Amino acid sequence: MPERRTVALVTLGCARNEVDSEELAGRLAADGWELVEEAADADVAVVNTCGFVEAAKKDSVDALLEANDLKDHGRTQAVVAVGCMAERYGKELAEALPEADGVLGFDDYSDISDRLQTILSGGVHASHTPRDRRKLLPISPAERQGSAGVALPGHAQAAEAPAAPPEDLPEGIAPASGPRAPLRRRLGSSPVASVKLASGCDRRCTFCAIPSFRGSFISRRPSDVLGETRWLAEQGVKEIMLVSENNTSYGKDLGDIRLLETLLPELAAVDGIERIRVSYLQPAEMRPGLIDVLTGTDKVAPYFDLSFQHSAPGVLRAMRRFGDTDRFLELLEQIRTKAPQAGVRSNFIVGFPGESEGDLAELERFLTGARLDAIGVFGYSDEDGTEAASYENKLDPDEVAERLARVSRLAEELTAQRAEERIGETVRVLVDRDDEEDGLVGRAAHQAPETDGVTLLSTGQELSPGRMVEAKVVASEGVDLVAEVLSVDGTSCTEEAAR
């Protein structure tokens, strides 16, 4: 009998990282590793790091150090870093953090089992040298789909599929059924799961380093997205969240920039799926047909995660982005004309180099008029390798902090007002959990997991996660809603109680 090998995956950062962790879990389980939830119970703790902003990097380092402490107290013998921070810094991270027994980049994912076995056995796998991943794929998007030998998390190559036929895989693993379909193993039981539409980004925002370590934009084929969604539905998933660095570009490398408009109705028709949510939309790439599908397709949430970042024209140009307050407000008006209850969220950067008081006032004008459901506000800080890091006219850090606090206060007030506006609405809510403190907790169509608040449900029934209910909003608490359940899975509460 082969020796028992246990591994735990600790995931930080965004939903894309969560998908990557489940891909790694699928590869490891297919090769005989036993997955455990707690790092303290694992031979190897794999920390999937985030390398986006300074705070996320600190959280990643803290998680690695915390996992390393387990080596003195429990079963854990090795701690390995993967993910964006590991890819972005490679050898530099390994030298600065000797507590990590391995620092693996995306190129190591296809051989993750062998890499971990080498490290667990006391061997050394050399940390990779970071490189600009934008240069690995052809400049022309149309030529990227045929590129072989480029590691793309979420886009496993056919050669990486296991030798065993799908029916011989351990239970709970999605088979690699297509030319770029990865293995996948769920790491939780949530009724919500993310599915990658694409990887990478072709935009060149001056504040963002993501394209340099995630690479150029490349779409997954619709058949692979559909196949993975069907498998997730079989695992009990009710809501699919489509993720990538830029979903509005989906299909441009497949010869059809409107491919998302075609794919969404097909995904919504998958048996068992109750809601499709699309995240990461670029305002400059929104088109009428996409708005129509997002607001008019059954089971597709009228949800718009729009990356505005700012609204003052001068700041946006310095960011190498497009638009202004009035154009953004016009876009929101187009959306709400189609779907008055549509949910909209966005993130913003304040204190960007050269941002004037007038620019900040223009951003506040936009926020006041936009009626956003959720707002993320970040203070500008230099990111390694970005164009903005070389800009002059940097604001004093204390001034950035003051502006961050000012806009954050406004955002908190405005999103609370927007939630209050929803009192009286009837909303469809997916039950997420039954919490000891808060009771039944779910999310309406305008509320994405983790970021946009929740809906607290009032009902005399016991409802398990994954049930879909209709409820009337009766109150709000900040961005959260309080709602009374009217019907469950299409059956009124009165009929349900009579059964």
Side-chain angles (χ1 to χ4, degrees), residues 141-255:
E143 297 175 5
R144 292 174 188 166
Q145 286 291 326
S147 300
V150 178
L152 300 167
H155 305 244
Q157 302 289 346
E160 297 169 3
E167 58 267 24
D168 288 346
L169 287 171
E171 185 178 352
I173 299 178
S177 56
R180 284 185 177 272
L183 298 170
R184 181 169 179 175
R185 169 74 175 266
R186 295 211 71 202
L187 292 174
S189 57
S190 168
V192 185
S194 295
V195 173
K196 274 194 180 181
L197 268 187
S199 292
C201 185
D202 287 341
R203 302 185 72 88
R204 293 297 178 262
C205 302
T206 59
F207 57 83
C208 184
I210 289 176
S212 66
F213 57 85
R214 276 288 185 180
S216 297
F217 184 90
I218 184 166
S219 303
R220 292 183 68 197
R221 293 190 175 276
S223 57
D224 289 342
V225 177
L226 275 164
E228 191 168 331
T229 298
R230 292 189 184 104
W231 175 79
L232 287 166
E234 292 170 0
Q235 307 303 304
V237 169
K238 299 298 181 182
E239 178 178 324
I240 292 296
M241 187 161 73
L242 299 177
V243 299
S244 75
E245 279 73 20
N246 178 9
N247 281 336
T248 31
S249 282
Y250 180 69
K252 73 175 186 178
D253 51 323
L254 293 171

Side-chain angles (χ1 to χ4, degrees), residues 308-327:
F308 289 120
Q309 302 299 345
H310 213 283
S311 72
V315 176
L316 287 168
R317 301 306 174 269
M319 290 178 169
R320 201 171 287 125
R321 297 178 66 83
F322 307 95
D324 56 45
T325 295
D326 293 333
R327 273 189 274 186

Side-chain angles (χ1 to χ4, degrees), residues 468-488:
M468 185 69 79
V469 306
E470 280 202 355
K472 182 177 181 179
V473 181
V474 296
S476 62
E477 300 175 0
V479 296
D480 297 335
L481 303 181
V482 179
E484 294 179 350
V485 175
L486 303 175
S487 64
V488 180

Side-chain angles (χ1 to χ4, degrees), residues 4-8 34-45 70 74-77:
R4 179 173 182 248
R5 302 175 298 175
T6 56
V7 59
E34 180 182 338
L35 297 163
V36 296
E37 290 187 14
E38 300 296 331
D41 300 327
D43 297 318
V44 184
L70 297 174
R75 180 187 180 100
T76 309
Q77 301 173 51

Side-chain angles (χ1 to χ4, degrees), residues 7 106 119 147 165 181 193 213 215 264 267 342 395:
V7 59
F106 298 149
I119 293 167
S147 300
F213 57 85
L264 283 171
L267 291 171
L395 276 67

Side-chain angles (χ1 to χ4, degrees), residues 38-360:
E38 300 296 331
D41 300 327
D43 297 318
V44 184
V46 177
V47 179
N48 192 349
T49 60
C50 178
F52 180 39
V53 293
E54 207 57 45
K57 295 179 214 172
K58 183 182 182 304
D59 289 344
S60 295
V61 170
D62 289 345
L64 288 163
L65 292 174
E66 183 178 338
N68 182 69
D69 289 342
L70 297 174
K71 290 192 286 189
D72 297 327
H73 308 295
R75 180 187 180 100
T76 309
Q77 301 173 51
V79 176
V80 175
V82 299
C84 291
M85 189 176 181
E87 172 63 38
R88 185 175 181 184
Y89 294 104
K91 289 182 177 179
E92 182 182 342
L93 176 62
E95 292 169 0
L97 199 69
E99 292 85 353
D101 299 286
V103 175
L104 306 181
F106 298 149
D107 292 333
D108 294 303
Y109 280 21
S110 61
D111 298 312
I112 187 67
S113 179
D114 290 342
R115 300 287 187 264
L116 296 192
Q117 185 59 57
T118 296
I119 293 167
L120 184 60
S121 301
V124 176
H125 178 72
S127 301
H128 77 108
T129 301
R131 51 183 174 166
D132 188 340
R133 298 193 74 87
R134 291 172 293 191
K135 299 178 180 178
L136 301 183
L137 291 169
I139 293 175
S140 169
E143 297 175 5
R144 292 174 188 166
Q145 286 291 326
S147 300
V150 178
L152 300 167
H155 305 244
Q157 302 289 346
E160 297 169 3
E167 58 267 24
D168 288 346
L169 287 171
E171 185 178 352
I173 299 178
S177 56
R180 284 185 177 272
L183 298 170
R184 181 169 179 175
R185 169 74 175 266
R186 295 211 71 202
L187 292 174
S189 57
S190 168
V192 185
S194 295
V195 173
K196 274 194 180 181
L197 268 187
S199 292
C201 185
D202 287 341
R203 302 185 72 88
R204 293 297 178 262
C205 302
T206 59
F207 57 83
C208 184
I210 289 176
S212 66
F213 57 85
R214 276 288 185 180
S216 297
F217 184 90
I218 184 166
S219 303
R220 292 183 68 197
R221 293 190 175 276
S223 57
D224 289 342
V225 177
L226 275 164
E228 191 168 331
T229 298
R230 292 189 184 104
W231 175 79
L232 287 166
E234 292 170 0
Q235 307 303 304
V237 169
K238 299 298 181 182
E239 178 178 324
I240 292 296
M241 187 161 73
L242 299 177
V243 299
S244 75
E245 279 73 20
N246 178 9
N247 281 336
T248 31
S249 282
Y250 180 69
K252 73 175 186 178
D253 51 323
L254 293 171
D256 184 1
I257 191 61
R258 296 177 179 82
L259 195 55
L260 185 55
E261 288 95 303
T262 304
L263 177 61
L264 283 171
E266 295 183 61
L267 291 171
V270 171
D271 286 343
I273 295 298
E274 294 293 335
R275 179 184 287 158
I276 303 291
R277 184 184 304 278
V278 184
S279 59
Y280 305 115
L281 300 169
Q282 287 291 339
E285 298 181 30
M286 289 300 295
R287 46 197 180 268
L290 181 55
I291 294 174
D292 288 344
V293 172
L294 287 171
T295 56
T297 306
D298 186 39
K299 295 188 178 180
V300 174
Y303 175 80
F304 293 81
D305 177 8
L306 293 162
S307 177
F308 289 120
Q309 302 299 345
H310 213 283
S311 72
V315 176
L316 287 168
R317 301 306 174 269
M319 290 178 169
R320 201 171 287 125
R321 297 178 66 83
F322 307 95
D324 56 45
T325 295
D326 293 333
R327 273 189 274 186
F328 290 163
L329 290 176
E330 183 181 342
L331 172 61
L332 295 177
E333 179 63 25
Q334 292 173 16
I335 291 168
R336 288 175 175 139
T337 297
K338 300 280 186 180
Q341 290 186 338
V344 187
R345 79 165 329 272
S346 191
N347 293 326
F348 299 88
I349 298 173
V350 298
F352 194 79
E355 180 191 64
S356 67
E357 275 290 341
D359 293 330
L360 194 64

